[in-house]
Amino acid sequence: MSDLPAPDGLAEALHPHTGALVSVEPTERGFSSDLTALVTGEKGDWFVKAVRNRPGGRRESLVREGLINQHVRPISPAVHWQSENPEWLALGFAAVDARHADFAPGSSDLPAVVDVLTRIGALPLPDIATAWHETRWDRYTDRPGLFRGDALLYTDIHPSNILIADRVWAVDWAWPTRGAAFIDPALLVLQLVASGHSPEQAEGWASGCPAWKGADPAAIDAFADANASMYATLADQRPTATWLAAMTTAARTWSAHRR
């Protein structure tokens, strides 16, 4: 057990659910967690997200993901168990064999990506999420009211979070919120521009989502501007983060197109 790449104390926290660990394979991306890994134990296989059990955004995010899971199945893999001790909080998800979606122009995955966002947009807002108001863009706009609404938002649209297999999964519900329904399709537009689409092409794909078709154009304009301001601010704070520079370029390109 000591030879596995599990931080101190985590194997003990997982043991009631996994049994003795056989393998731990950390995944490439897991910005909201201290560990994301495919875990095999005596009792089976799981995808595990774990954070240090101390107050803060990471713990709050994982708690929220555990609470929302029953309301977003079968779009998201099911949480099979939750483990908590003084050191760690962890969720054990059903492991799925899938690949990351390709967001590039011409990708055959794009219709499936639009379809999964449409399915997310059709989910009802559960009671547990009524107080989770979306406010992350408020500081970057003078019209935050345009981003309010009663839709359940996913908000973490990224090629690594859309998994393609015999079905399409949207994983990493690390920060679901309540807000305007157009926000998820708008975030898809931004990701598509960052992946090489023109703004016109990206918005063409988003138009397949009912929430985009019914949106107020002024709200989309304000959201595009807010993202350009947000990413520019974050890139200035972290000048060595090349992905932030790339997202800043994409956001500015989209914002200029909207104007």
Side-chain angles (χ1 to χ4, degrees):
M1 183 181 299
S2 61
D3 294 332
L4 298 175
D8 291 345
L10 182 58
E12 290 77 8
L14 302 183
H15 189 272
H17 305 282
T18 64
L21 297 183
V22 176
S23 66
V24 176
E25 301 177 24
T27 59
E28 295 178 0
R29 187 174 185 266
F31 300 140
S32 63
S33 303
D34 292 307
L35 177 77
T36 58
L38 295 172
V39 172
T40 297
E42 292 176 315
K43 300 180 180 181
D45 302 309
W46 296 272
F47 175 74
V48 173
K49 296 181 70 172
V51 299
R52 296 286 183 179
N53 196 1
R54 52 177 177 251
R58 287 192 170 191
R59 186 187 189 283
E60 184 178 349
S61 174
L62 198 61
V63 168
R64 188 175 288 201
E65 186 165 6
L67 290 171
I68 202 63
N69 182 259
Q70 63 178 305
H71 303 287
V72 298
R73 301 177 195 170
I75 295 171
S76 171
V79 172
H80 284 178
W81 47 260
Q82 177 173 318
S83 179
E84 183 171 5
N85 67 10
E87 294 182 81
W88 288 96
L89 174 67
L91 297 178
F93 293 84
V96 297
D97 184 11
R99 62 175 175 81
H100 300 313
D102 181 0
F103 279 21
S107 168
S108 61
D109 292 344
L110 295 174
V113 173
V114 172
D115 178 69
V116 79
L117 281 190
T118 298
R119 288 191 286 134
I120 291 171
L123 293 172
L125 181 74
D127 290 344
I128 191 66
T130 55
W132 297 348
H133 296 285
E134 181 54 74
T135 60
R136 279 170 287 184
W137 288 274
D138 285 9
R139 72 185 67 180
Y140 304 106
T141 182
D142 58 1
R143 295 181 288 174
L146 294 174
F147 307 157
R148 302 292 184 263
D150 294 322
L152 174 65
L153 301 178
Y154 172 37
T155 74
D156 203 3
I157 295 147
H158 187 275
S160 67
N161 285 342
I162 307 297
L163 303 184
I164 308 290
D166 56 346
R167 64 184 306 158
V168 183
W169 302 94
V171 302
D172 199 5
W173 286 75
W175 208 253
T177 54
R178 172 188 178 181
F182 78 86
I183 288 178
D184 275 345
L187 291 172
L188 174 63
V189 170
L190 184 55
Q191 288 292 330
L192 292 178
V193 173
S195 297
H197 296 253
S198 70
E200 294 89 344
Q201 291 170 329
E203 291 187 354
W205 283 109
S207 69
C209 300
W212 178 270
K213 294 177 183 177
D216 178 358
I220 299 175
D221 294 346
F223 191 70
D225 288 343
N227 273 280
S229 177
M230 180 186 73
Y231 278 110
T233 300
L234 295 175
D236 285 344
Q237 294 170 351
R238 298 171 59 188
T240 62
T242 56
W243 72 273
L244 280 174
M247 290 304 298
T248 300
T249 298
R252 285 174 169 167
T253 299
W254 183 38
S255 175
H257 166 74
R258 294 300 305 184
R259 291 198 298 271

